[in-house]
């Protein structure tokens, strides 16, 4: 049985956020453009063309880890979920403190508490986790 640490859980959340960023964007099906493609002059096309970024799709193992990590988020309260996910997406503490209207130290303590909550639940084992889900 693997012993989870707060740092390991934080790294797992960062990995899940990285995997989620590499997913293809969801688009509404059924809409299309009926306008014909036309050539623009050089000065028209200079500012209008947005670069298309291609991401390497995540591996199936990375997707499984991300989905497992997303199940962990359900153990947290709503504010804790937002805090952990913002930190996993590498938002700065300044942005986090503005979002939660608190001091940096308070935000860090809340983040640590949320990670400790997940770590404790993971280290309790599958039997305890299955029991807690029934309650």
């Amino acid at each position: 049985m693997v012993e989870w640490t707060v740092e390991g859980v934080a790294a797992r959340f960062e990995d899940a956020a990285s995997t989620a960023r590499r997913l293809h964007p969801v688009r509404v099906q059924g809409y299309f453009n009926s306008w014909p493609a036309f050539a623009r002059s050089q000065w028209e096309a200079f500012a209008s063309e947005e670069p298309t970024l291609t991401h390497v799709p995540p591996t199936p193992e990375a997707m499984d880890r991300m989905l497992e990590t997303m199940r962990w988020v359900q153990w947290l309260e709503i504010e804790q979920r937002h805090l952990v996910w913002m930190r996993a997406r590498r938002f700065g503490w300044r942005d986090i403190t503005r979002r939660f209207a608190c001091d940096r130290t308070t935000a860090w303590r809340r983040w640590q508490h949320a990670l400790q909550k997940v770590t404790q639940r993971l280290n309790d084992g599958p039997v305890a986790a299955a029991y807690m889900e029934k309650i």
Side-chain angles (χ1 to χ4, degrees), residues 7-23:
E7 294 82 17
V9 171
R12 191 72 175 268
F13 274 110
E14 286 183 18
D15 181 47
S18 171
T19 302
R21 270 193 302 269
R22 292 187 319 184
L23 291 174

Side-chain angles (χ1 to χ4, degrees), residues 94-112:
R94 179 174 294 210
D95 297 329
I96 292 172
T97 56
R98 285 183 187 150
R99 161 68 170 83
F100 293 100
C102 63
D103 187 54
R104 190 202 71 79
T105 309
T106 304
W108 180 81
R109 269 184 286 170
R110 289 177 184 171
W111 177 66
Q112 286 288 321

Side-chain angles (χ1 to χ4, degrees):
M1 186 170 158
V2 176
E3 186 72 21
W4 287 93
T5 62
V6 173
E7 294 82 17
V9 171
R12 191 72 175 268
F13 274 110
E14 286 183 18
D15 181 47
S18 171
T19 302
R21 270 193 302 269
R22 292 187 319 184
L23 291 174
H24 292 289
V26 177
R27 297 200 174 127
V28 178
Q29 297 292 321
Y31 292 98
F32 61 94
N33 186 1
S34 61
W35 283 88
F38 57 93
R40 298 179 189 260
S41 64
Q42 185 177 4
W43 66 273
E44 289 176 328
F46 181 68
S48 66
E49 300 296 325
E50 294 183 16
T52 57
L53 300 175
T54 57
H55 297 285
V56 177
T59 63
E61 294 83 16
M63 288 294 300
D64 289 340
R65 287 192 307 270
M66 182 189 73
L67 292 175
E68 180 184 9
T69 307
M70 290 298 103
R71 281 188 225 109
W72 300 350
V73 173
Q74 296 176 356
W75 300 335
L76 301 172
E77 298 169 7
I78 299 294
E79 289 295 314
Q80 290 175 329
R81 292 175 190 180
H82 289 291
L83 176 62
V84 167
W85 195 250
M86 282 181 76
R87 194 62 193 150
R89 291 185 59 205
R90 297 185 181 181
F91 276 83
W93 286 111
R94 179 174 294 210
D95 297 329
I96 292 172
T97 56
R98 285 183 187 150
R99 161 68 170 83
F100 293 100
C102 63
D103 187 54
R104 190 202 71 79
T105 309
T106 304
W108 180 81
R109 269 184 286 170
R110 289 177 184 171
W111 177 66
Q112 286 288 321
H113 177 71
L115 292 180
Q116 185 63 37
K117 191 175 184 180
V118 172
T119 304
Q120 183 66 36
R121 181 83 183 254
L122 288 171
N123 287 333
D124 284 344
V127 176
Y131 174 74
M132 292 301 288
E133 288 177 4
K134 291 180 182 179
I135 294 178

